[in-house]
Amino acid sequence: TGQSCIPGINTVDLQTIFEEQFVAWTLEDAIAVVGRPDVRVFCEADRVFSFGPVLAHGNKGGAQTTDEGPLADQGNGVTEFLRFSNPKAIPCEVRLVVKPKDEEAGRECPFEVEPTTLTIPAHDSQQVQVSFRPSQLGSFSAMLEASVPAGSDANTNHLEFELRGDGAVPSVSIQGPRLFGDEGGELRLGKLAVGRSHEVKMALRNDGLLPATVRVEVKKPSVHFTLACRPSVTLGRGEQRTFQVRFHPRAVGAWEADLSIRTLGNEAFEDVTIQLTGEGYSDEVSWDLTEVRRPAGPAGARSDEEPSLESEPPSPDDLQLGEVVVGSEVNINFQLTNSAAQPIRFEFPEEMPAPFGEQLRIEPRCGFVYPSSRHPMKLSFRPTEALCAEKVPLACKIATVSFDLEGEGLSPDTASEDLPFTAVEGTEKELPLHISGVADAGVVECETKEICFAPTVMFYSKVHRFTITNPSKISAPFEWRIVGKSAAVYSVTPMAASVPPEGEKEIEVRFSPVEVEDFGCELLCCQPGVAAADPALKIFLGGSALRPWCHIELVEGDYRNRRQADTPLDQKYRVVEIVSLGTNVKNTKRFYVYNPTAEAVDFMWMQEASTGGADVPGEQDTFRCLSRRGTILPGKKFEMSFEFAPESIETRESFWNFCLIGQKVVEYFLIAGTVTEPRVGTSLPCLNFGERLVESSVTEKVSLVNKEHLPFSFTIDKSSFQIEGMPEALHVSPMSGVIGPDSSIDLHVTFKPLQERAFNFNVVCNVKRKKEPIVLNVKGSGYKIHAALTVEEPAGRRSIYPGSPEPLDFGVLQVHEQRTVNLYLGNQSKKNFNFRIQVQQGNRKPRPLPDFDKPPYLAISMGIGDVRAHEEVMLELTYAPRDVHTLEGSTLQIVIPAGPVETMFQIALGGGAKRSRVDFSFLTYDFGPCFIAKDGATMAGEPLAASEDQRYEMVELVATNRDDSDCLISTTFTREPWLDVQLNAAMIEAGSSLRIPIIFSPRETCDYMQRLEFLVNDYTRMYVDIRGRGCPLRLELTSLEMQHVDFGVTIGGESVSKSVRLVNRSPRPVTFQLGDDDEELTRRSVFWSPSHPTTLRPRETCDVELRFLPTTRVAPFKVPLLARCEGGLDLKLLTVEGTCHATEMRLSEH
């Protein structure tokens, strides 16, 4: 079997081609639904794809691209993606070409298509890029042709439509006062008194096609100017923003500042610098006219949001009287201000200057103004004749004065105008007040005296127009009044207004009879404020009416002008247009026919069979007259009804005759039926969810907008995005409903991919009465997390798989021992992913890893983090037990969030920690008071010779190993001059002991304390606290007189005894033995008791007896007696002296 097939592309389903753009019947429909002009839309009526206005770029001296504001994404033009599909069973090659329509010389085509050739597989589709990059301002158009060279079917081998776009730049105009200077860059804020403020309103208006961002700033800031505006102002199309410039001089002088206004994206043409200028002045005496009502400008009162017309403040000495009617009176209050330290006197002239004269009066004419005060004045103007005055100076003489008073001082409250005074010489001057005003009698004149209307058919109107003039120099207000029995048939426009000075006004009189009668009336013109017995104008009104057989109450539209036909429509036809909002709906047009006669009238509607509209198939079903025959009673109305039920969007026409049977009167009608597509659509043409995790969901809102005055029901076609038997990846809510008139409803679109692939949906929304459905393109793709975990072991890396727990054994450690294992977490996905690490102990809830100080004594180098795509991170897992512990039942979990489902690696931990069983014979030892070593003694802990200082205390610490294995013991203590631990790192066999000497040799009289740290197997720490106190050795005689023992002179053989008492004043016992150096006392027959070693407790005494028993002559001597204490310290207790006289005989050997 086989099948022949012709290659081709889809050329009918344009919604598929423009899936990411708006598709509407006209461009106006799309703009109305979206609410902005810069939309990318395909217009079905004209087969035009419009890019709308796009920022022009690249032209020399023209607009440049911008990185700021709402147009930042248009810096390189706009690119749209179109999808071409192949519905055939074989691949096809498509060629794309853009053909410019404008062949102007030197104008490049801004449209591009890429690629120009593509091959689409069978039953597949591909996207192409169509770009619009205008390099200059203007409108551009071109034709995009897609052809299949191998295709022979004209319906599928060629697709052509027009491309349009406008190159534009943001354009903002400045609204406000007129700017001066050669380039229009100076804003003169005039002359203003110091301390006063003047504000000028200006506006920025965007009249261009694109939104614009404007930077407004003062380049040269000045304390005399203030700008009330944001630095950056964004304006939509047609939007206007007002800002204020204030001038408030703080010192006398001329001041300047620069105001910069720059449009981003169009700096070459709209970078304006406005120089603000103003002058501050200060006068001791000045007019205060702030309360004077100044006449409105030519445009009348202005809103607070409207820009100012004038930039300069009113002149401080310019008093405007405005327009005054001759014979009336106007009163103005103002003040004279004296800021000086001395009083002044003012005086106006007795005669007012021309042309005012006696018509102008000021009260008071003279008086005093005291220091730092104001004097109120009143000006009255009562004109008796017409005049025109423009800044007529009224000289006011002022002078500084002093009062000739005695006694108490003068205050403004007690002062009188008749006080004696003396003018200070040289202070007289004139302070002019410029007065402007116009006085005249505003009158209106007209050449028309009578208006007679031609015979007019009842219920119709005729209009007559005439002009009234005002020859005076002031405005002339007027009001119209119609007098007569039939005044209701006449109307005047305007009924009340004002004629400008020396100007004119057009008046329109309309005659609309509703009955046949006498229409004679008078049109009277009265002028408010003018006392006159007779009206200013009187015009006679007259006319006649004709009674028709019937009156058709029908208002014709502009269909006659819009009608597209080969021949023009005869003027005898009345046009009845029925507009249908959508198709397949009945539309009824109703109008009334009135019988103004006194007899009944029979009528009949007849359709003309000779017109082309009647021969159109289905025409009889399209139009239907619901009131074919009837009778209209006298003075009554009859309702005529036509029904239009279109099935397509083409315009239909039907010609009908309205016949009055008895009167043989025929009226000709054209019943035209037009169809407009309901302006119902989505606020976005496309939703792109991007890449999402599989089984995760995300929801976006898109509005379904109804810009019509009628409600519309809608239904979402589920089959357009849900394939039977496939998992549901898209959900839309609500699936049906009703959109109210001129309102919108939110559609919630939820994307939940269940597979790792790309998704492209065209969600179809069927709207009742709308011929074509609304299509919302939804794109997205699903991806999974592909993570890999390995453990570094001596034999290499071992893989850990998600799901079931994998073992990891740390072995048995000593307490405080530490072991680290490296884990490697890799990311083989397209996207980065996050992870967190937690531990679960038994059936407890998993929790993050605690500190080392708490079980399970685990730490990780990174508890929370992320892994970039196609990379891996190293995680250091450390086990450092602080006490006896086991890891059995602990599971390390590495959790990777992957949407609602989490990927989890589980590692079953094994191992534990034990403490070495080493016991010390003591954990605390106090040496108590110990004698300090003498200067120059050897350091504690060094081997001592027998002749060296032996003053130190020693204790042995016995360490016993009760474990079943040998252990290593060492100490971290470093030898001190007063303490030493004589231990090098040594092994203690199981069950054996080790003696550790600890030597204490104090060097000062103070308390000593030290904690000794021992390490067992380098991890287990054990502590022993050592205390002691250094004290001096104080073995002394109870009395200082005993320090010298004198036996005197004795005779040989005679015995002399002396006794002394020793006391131990030390805090600890002292063991000593009395002696002398080199037996000096023994050779001289001096003996003592006790002669053996003696121990004295603290504060214990001992008597020492000294005997001198010489047998031979002893020469005088003086020898010390010593106490030799333990530790090798000799103390000199006392000095023994004496002599013995005796005869000494010796035998000679010779």
Side-chain angles (χ1 to χ4, degrees):
T1 61
Q3 179 184 4
S4 63
C5 189
I6 300 174
I9 59 175
N10 170 35
T11 61
V12 179
D13 188 4
L14 299 178
Q15 293 276 10
T16 304
I17 299 175
F18 301 96
E19 62 180 10
E20 297 184 9
Q21 296 78 29
F22 288 101
V23 177
W25 183 249
T26 63
L27 177 61
E28 291 74 15
D29 292 343
I31 293 176
V33 172
V34 181
R36 64 178 192 274
D38 53 333
V39 294
R40 321 289 178 242
V41 57
F42 178 76
C43 305
E44 296 177 303
D46 303 325
R47 293 186 64 84
V48 172
F49 178 67
S50 173
F51 283 89
V54 176
L55 180 66
H57 67 286
N59 54 317
K60 297 181 179 179
Q64 304 298 322
T65 60
T66 177
D67 295 332
E68 305 179 59
L71 302 176
D73 57 344
Q74 295 189 10
N76 294 320
V78 174
T79 300
E80 293 295 326
F81 293 88
L82 309 183
R83 182 175 295 276
F84 289 89
S85 57
N86 177 13
K88 304 294 184 178
I90 59 175
C92 70
E93 180 182 346
V94 183
R95 295 180 182 178
L96 298 137
V97 61
V98 174
K99 297 181 179 180
K101 294 183 66 176
D102 301 327
E103 301 295 342
E104 300 180 9
R107 185 169 179 175
E108 299 180 357
C109 180
F111 299 100
E112 294 180 1
V113 59
E114 291 183 1
T116 56
T117 303
L118 69 156
T119 301
I120 308 176
H123 301 295
D124 201 353
S125 62
Q126 289 188 11
Q127 284 188 327
V128 297
Q129 298 181 13
V130 181
S131 303
F132 176 51
R133 298 184 178 90
S135 59
Q136 56 188 346
L137 304 181
S139 297
F140 301 88
S141 62
M143 298 301 296
L144 176 62
E145 293 184 2
S147 59
V148 181
S152 58
D153 186 355
N155 295 323
T156 60
N157 67 354
H158 186 267
L159 175 65
E160 183 180 21
F161 54 87
E162 185 179 354
L163 302 175
R164 288 182 188 173
D166 297 321
V169 293
S171 180
V172 176
S173 60
I174 304 174
Q175 310 288 328
R178 177 172 167 270
L179 301 178
F180 297 91
D182 296 337
E183 298 180 357
E186 181 181 1
L187 181 63
R188 299 175 184 175
L189 298 175
K191 189 175 181 181
L192 198 63
V194 175
R196 296 289 181 91
S197 178
H198 174 56
E199 180 180 278
V200 174
K201 291 185 177 65
M202 304 181 72
L204 301 172
R205 180 174 180 82
N206 181 9
D207 294 319
L209 300 175
L210 298 175
T213 299
V214 185
R215 287 293 178 86
V216 184
E217 57 187 353
V218 179
K219 288 186 176 180
K220 296 180 180 179
S222 173
V223 297
H224 309 284
F225 298 91
T226 300
L227 174 64
C229 181
R230 293 182 178 180
S232 181
V233 180
T234 300
L235 300 172
R237 184 181 180 185
E239 188 177 1
Q240 177 175 305
R241 294 284 182 87
T242 305
F243 66 95
Q244 295 80 31
V245 177
R246 298 186 183 95
F247 175 51
H248 40 78
R250 298 186 179 181
V252 177
W255 309 108
E256 295 180 356
D258 289 341
L259 175 63
S260 173
I261 301 178
R262 178 166 55 95
T263 303
L264 300 182
N266 194 14
E267 292 87 344
F269 295 104
E270 295 188 3
D271 188 356
V272 179
T273 299
I274 301 175
Q275 187 179 35
L276 307 178
T277 61
E279 181 180 356
Y281 72 93
S282 178
D283 288 338
E284 293 183 346
V285 182
S286 60
W287 301 108
D288 186 358
L289 306 178
T290 55
E291 299 181 3
V292 177
R293 179 186 60 84
R294 300 183 184 274
R302 300 180 66 79
S303 168
D304 292 339
E305 297 298 326
E306 294 185 13
S308 305
L309 295 178
E310 299 292 336
S311 63
E312 297 189 11
S315 176
D317 59 355
D318 187 6
L319 194 151
Q320 292 283 346
L321 299 176
E323 296 180 350
V324 183
V325 179
V326 174
S328 63
E329 183 177 357
V330 61
N331 297 315
I332 294 177
N333 297 320
F334 61 98
Q335 294 175 333
L336 181 62
T337 302
N338 180 16
S339 303
Q342 300 295 327
I344 64 167
R345 185 177 186 275
F346 66 89
E347 182 178 0
F348 287 98
E350 295 183 0
E351 295 184 2
M352 295 297 153
F356 294 105
E358 297 180 356
Q359 303 173 96
L360 187 68
R361 186 175 68 257
I362 294 182
E363 296 179 353
R365 193 178 65 84
C366 61
F368 301 100
V369 185
Y370 298 94
S372 302
S373 63
R374 299 178 180 179
H375 196 291
M377 300 181 183
K378 179 181 179 182
L379 183 145
S380 300
F381 178 48
R382 186 180 182 87
T384 57
E385 59 183 8
L387 62 86
C388 180
E390 181 69 23
K391 292 186 178 182
V392 176
L394 175 59
C396 177
K397 296 182 180 179
I398 61 173
T400 303
V401 298
S402 60
F403 296 100
D404 302 333
L405 295 176
E406 296 180 359
E408 297 183 359
L410 181 69
S411 66
D413 297 333
T414 60
S416 172
E417 302 295 341
D418 299 330
L419 292 176
F421 66 91
T422 303
V424 179
E425 185 178 355
T427 60
E428 298 87 352
K429 63 178 180 179
E430 290 186 354
L431 183 65
L433 180 64
H434 298 88
I435 303 176
S436 302
V438 179
D440 203 347
V443 296
V444 292
E445 298 177 353
C446 179
E447 297 179 357
T448 302
K449 303 301 181 182
E450 182 180 4
I451 301 176
C452 293
F453 289 94
T456 306
V457 179
M458 290 171 51
F459 307 107
Y460 286 85
S461 298
K462 288 188 177 180
V463 176
H464 179 79
R465 295 179 179 87
F466 63 95
T467 302
I468 61 175
T469 59
N470 175 18
S472 65
K473 297 181 180 179
I474 63 174
S475 301
F478 64 89
E479 293 179 356
W480 292 105
R481 188 160 52 92
I482 303 175
V483 179
K485 293 182 179 181
S486 56
V489 301
Y490 297 100
S491 62
V492 182
T493 305
M495 283 296 293
S498 177
V499 184
E502 300 179 349
E504 60 182 23
K505 191 82 171 180
E506 185 180 68
I507 308 299
E508 178 182 285
V509 181
R510 182 178 295 272
F511 175 53
S512 304
V514 295
E515 190 53 72
V516 178
E517 57 182 336
D518 182 18
F519 298 106
C521 293
E522 285 187 341
L523 180 62
L524 306 180
C525 179
C526 303
Q527 290 189 261
V530 178
D534 298 328
L537 296 175
K538 183 183 296 184
I539 302 174
F540 174 78
L541 300 179
S544 60
L546 300 177
R547 186 184 302 274
W549 284 109
C550 65
H551 170 63
I552 301 173
E553 298 180 356
L554 179 65
V555 178
E556 293 191 25
D558 61 345
Y559 177 78
R560 188 185 299 270
N561 300 328
R562 293 185 287 106
R563 184 174 182 264
Q564 296 180 359
D566 297 335
T567 58
L569 182 64
D570 196 330
Q571 293 296 325
K572 69 179 181 179
Y573 286 98
R574 294 172 179 261
V575 178
V576 178
E577 184 179 9
I578 306 177
V579 179
S580 175
L581 198 58
T583 59
N584 299 318
V585 60
K586 292 182 179 180
N587 302 273
T588 302
K589 178 70 174 181
R590 295 180 174 89
F591 59 93
Y592 290 95
V593 177
Y594 175 64
N595 179 9
T597 67
E599 58 184 63
V601 176
D602 297 328
F603 71 89
M604 180 179 60
W605 287 95
M606 298 177 60
Q607 188 173 13
E608 296 182 7
S610 59
T611 57
D615 298 334
V616 178
E619 186 67 38
Q620 298 294 337
D621 298 332
T622 304
F623 292 100
R624 193 158 63 98
C625 180
L626 305 180
S627 51
R628 285 267 184 172
R629 289 175 176 271
T631 301
I632 309 176
L633 298 178
K636 301 296 182 180
K637 296 181 180 180
F638 197 97
E639 184 183 64
M640 307 298 172
S641 300
F642 281 86
E643 189 178 87
F644 174 52
E647 296 181 355
S648 62
I649 61 175
E650 288 79 14
T651 300
R652 299 286 186 174
E653 291 183 351
S654 181
F655 293 87
W656 295 75
N657 297 333
F658 177 70
C659 305
L660 297 181
I661 300 175
Q663 291 74 18
K664 297 182 180 180
V665 176
V666 179
E667 291 286 341
Y668 301 93
F669 285 83
L670 167 62
I671 310 299
T674 58
V675 179
T676 61
E677 274 286 89
R679 291 184 172 179
V680 180
T682 56
S683 58
L684 297 173
C686 176
L687 279 180
N688 192 341
F689 287 97
E691 295 182 339
R692 297 291 174 179
L693 279 170
V694 171
E695 296 188 8
S696 67
S697 63
V698 60
T699 301
E700 293 286 348
K701 289 194 306 183
V702 59
S703 296
L704 197 57
V705 183
N706 177 14
K707 289 296 183 179
E708 301 295 348
H709 64 285
L710 297 175
F712 287 88
S713 61
F714 70 92
T715 303
I716 305 295
D717 186 2
K718 190 173 183 178
S719 62
S720 62
F721 59 88
Q722 177 61 46
I723 302 176
E724 186 176 358
M726 297 294 290
E728 183 178 348
L730 196 69
H731 177 72
V732 182
S733 176
M735 292 292 290
S736 61
V738 177
I739 319 171
D742 199 19
S743 62
S744 63
I745 187 172
D746 289 338
L747 298 179
H748 298 266
V749 183
T750 302
F751 177 56
K752 184 179 180 180
L754 301 178
Q755 298 174 326
E756 191 174 14
R757 66 179 184 87
F759 296 87
N760 188 13
F761 304 101
N762 286 323
V763 180
V764 175
C765 176
N766 295 308
V767 179
K768 190 176 181 181
R769 300 188 185 183
K770 192 172 176 65
K771 177 187 176 183
E772 297 293 337
I774 301 172
V775 179
L776 175 65
N777 181 253
V778 181
K779 288 182 172 63
S781 61
Y783 74 94
K784 292 183 179 179
I785 294 296
H786 299 281
L789 181 66
T790 57
V791 180
E792 187 175 13
E793 295 181 346
R797 289 192 183 184
R798 176 168 61 95
S799 297
I800 304 294
Y801 298 99
S804 60
E806 298 277 349
L808 177 61
D809 190 3
F810 280 91
V812 179
L813 280 69
Q814 295 288 332
V815 174
H816 297 290
E817 188 178 356
Q818 180 174 308
R819 185 166 297 173
T820 300
V821 175
N822 292 333
L823 305 176
Y824 295 90
L825 183 61
N827 182 5
Q828 302 171 0
S829 312
K830 299 178 181 179
K831 296 285 186 178
N832 306 341
F833 65 74
N834 301 329
F835 68 89
R836 69 177 187 275
I837 300 179
Q838 57 193 23
V839 65
Q840 182 179 19
Q841 294 178 278
N843 295 326
R844 297 180 182 177
K845 183 179 179 180
R847 59 190 176 92
L849 291 179
D851 298 333
F852 271 139
D853 298 335
K854 300 178 182 179
Y857 306 112
L858 292 170
I860 194 75
S861 60
M862 188 185 303
I864 298 176
D866 55 31
V867 185
R868 296 184 175 276
H870 307 295
E871 295 183 5
E872 69 175 10
V873 297
M874 185 180 72
L875 306 173
E876 293 184 354
L877 179 63
T878 302
Y879 177 47
R882 296 294 189 264
D883 203 347
V884 177
H885 178 259
T886 179
L887 285 174
E888 299 299 328
S890 298
T891 303
L892 185 72
Q893 299 176 347
I894 301 177
V895 183
I896 301 171
V901 180
E902 296 179 333
T903 301
M904 182 183 299
F905 294 94
Q906 301 187 65
I907 301 177
L909 301 176
K914 69 175 185 176
R915 190 184 300 276
S916 299
R917 298 174 58 192
V918 175
D919 295 339
F920 285 164
S921 57
F922 59 82
L923 297 178
T924 302
Y925 187 83
D926 190 355
F927 281 96
C930 295
F931 297 127
I932 58 178
K934 67 178 182 179
D935 296 339
T938 58
M939 295 293 294
E942 295 182 359
L944 300 176
S947 60
E948 291 182 321
D949 190 359
Q950 300 290 330
R951 186 171 300 178
Y952 60 86
E953 298 290 335
M954 184 182 72
V955 65
E956 288 187 342
L957 175 67
V958 180
T960 303
N961 182 7
R962 303 188 185 279
D963 208 342
D964 54 359
S965 60
D966 299 347
C967 67
L968 175 68
I969 187 170
S970 61
T971 181
T972 60
F973 176 72
T974 303
R975 188 177 66 179
E976 298 286 347
W978 57 276
L979 185 65
D980 183 29
V981 179
Q982 294 186 344
L983 173 66
N984 294 323
M987 295 294 297
I988 306 178
E989 296 181 355
S992 300
S993 299
L994 177 68
R995 294 180 176 273
I996 304 172
I998 301 176
I999 299 174
F1000 177 58
S1001 55
R1003 289 293 188 261
E1004 297 179 358
T1005 303
C1006 64
D1007 291 332
Y1008 292 89
M1009 183 175 63
Q1010 180 67 46
R1011 167 164 285 193
L1012 305 179
E1013 183 183 63
F1014 295 91
L1015 297 179
V1016 179
N1017 291 333
D1018 292 335
Y1019 297 107
T1020 302
R1021 288 173 168 77
M1022 302 183 68
Y1023 300 94
V1024 175
D1025 293 330
I1026 300 297
R1027 291 181 176 84
R1029 180 160 58 91
C1031 63
L1033 194 154
R1034 295 182 62 187
L1035 184 63
E1036 302 174 354
L1037 297 172
T1038 57
S1039 175
L1040 295 177
E1041 297 177 352
M1042 298 180 184
Q1043 292 183 353
H1044 182 71
V1045 177
D1046 189 0
F1047 287 107
V1049 179
T1050 62
I1051 300 174
E1054 183 180 352
S1055 176
V1056 181
S1057 297
K1058 299 281 186 181
S1059 63
V1060 296
R1061 178 170 290 179
L1062 294 177
V1063 62
N1064 179 14
R1065 300 184 188 278
S1066 302
R1068 63 169 291 168
V1070 176
T1071 299
F1072 67 92
Q1073 185 177 3
L1074 299 177
D1076 57 351
D1077 290 336
D1078 299 331
E1079 298 182 350
E1080 290 289 337
L1081 292 178
T1082 304
R1083 290 199 305 268
R1084 289 175 173 80
S1085 301
V1086 178
F1087 305 96
W1088 52 85
S1089 176
S1091 59
H1092 55 79
T1094 304
T1095 300
L1096 292 182
R1097 294 188 299 274
R1099 292 189 297 277
E1100 187 180 2
T1101 60
C1102 175
D1103 292 334
V1104 177
E1105 183 181 359
L1106 298 173
R1107 288 184 299 112
F1108 184 35
L1109 185 60
T1111 58
T1112 59
R1113 188 179 69 85
V1114 178
F1117 65 89
K1118 189 175 184 180
V1119 178
L1121 178 64
L1122 305 177
R1124 291 186 171 90
C1125 302
E1126 57 183 356
L1129 180 63
D1130 294 344
L1131 296 179
K1132 178 182 177 182
L1133 296 178
L1134 51 88
T1135 302
V1136 181
E1137 65 178 284
T1139 184
C1140 177
H1141 292 172
T1143 303
E1144 183 180 4
M1145 296 180 65
R1146 294 182 180 179
L1147 296 177
S1148 175
E1149 296 179 358
H1150 299 287

